[in-house]
Amino acid sequence: MDTDLKELLRSVLREELAPINQRLDGMDKRFDGIEQRLDKIESDVQELKAGQAELQKNIVGNLGNFTEKIAHQVEDRTGALNKRVFEVETVIQRLTNQ
């Protein structure tokens, strides 16, 4: 009788626990899917951060290059303008001395 009772109890427990186990298995699968999505999102965020850092470096570098080019152009044009002004002043000096 003791063995029959144990078997009956095991059978009842299996029947009662089977739906719970199925639900838990389903939840595990859903959590696995969510974890995979989170891993993908984390990977994408890391790629975006790396790309943003690279973009910032490029922008700073390009701004520096453009600033240098502008400064050289201003220096060149200022030099040319100073030369012209000097020539005009020289001519004016000659005319006023005559």
Side-chain angles (χ1 to χ4, degrees):
M1 177 96 158
D2 209 17
T3 310
D4 290 338
L5 187 60
K6 283 182 183 178
E7 286 301 317
L8 180 64
L9 184 59
R10 284 184 182 145
S11 175
V12 169
L13 283 174
R14 270 189 232 120
E15 287 177 22
E16 292 297 321
L17 292 176
I20 294 171
N21 285 333
Q22 288 175 348
R23 287 185 69 194
L24 289 174
D25 288 343
M27 289 172 67
D28 282 343
K29 288 178 185 177
R30 286 180 21 209
F31 283 133
D32 287 343
I34 290 170
E35 284 178 352
Q36 288 176 353
R37 286 183 201 165
L38 288 176
D39 289 343
K40 176 70 173 133
I41 289 170
E42 286 177 13
S43 173
D44 290 347
V45 167
Q46 291 301 324
E47 287 179 28
L48 287 171
K49 284 182 179 180
Q52 182 183 13
E54 188 66 30
L55 182 62
Q56 287 175 342
K57 288 179 188 176
N58 288 341
I59 288 172
V60 169
N62 287 338
L63 284 175
N65 290 340
F66 289 139
T67 303
E68 253 183 67
K69 287 180 182 180
I70 290 170
H72 286 300
Q73 286 181 352
V74 168
E75 287 175 7
D76 291 345
R77 294 199 175 158
T78 301
L81 183 60
N82 284 339
K83 186 176 179 182
R84 288 180 185 167
V85 168
F86 179 74
E87 289 173 0
V88 169
E89 287 176 342
T90 304
V91 170
I92 290 173
Q93 275 291 346
R94 280 191 213 142
L95 289 175
T96 55
N97 286 340
Q98 288 181 355

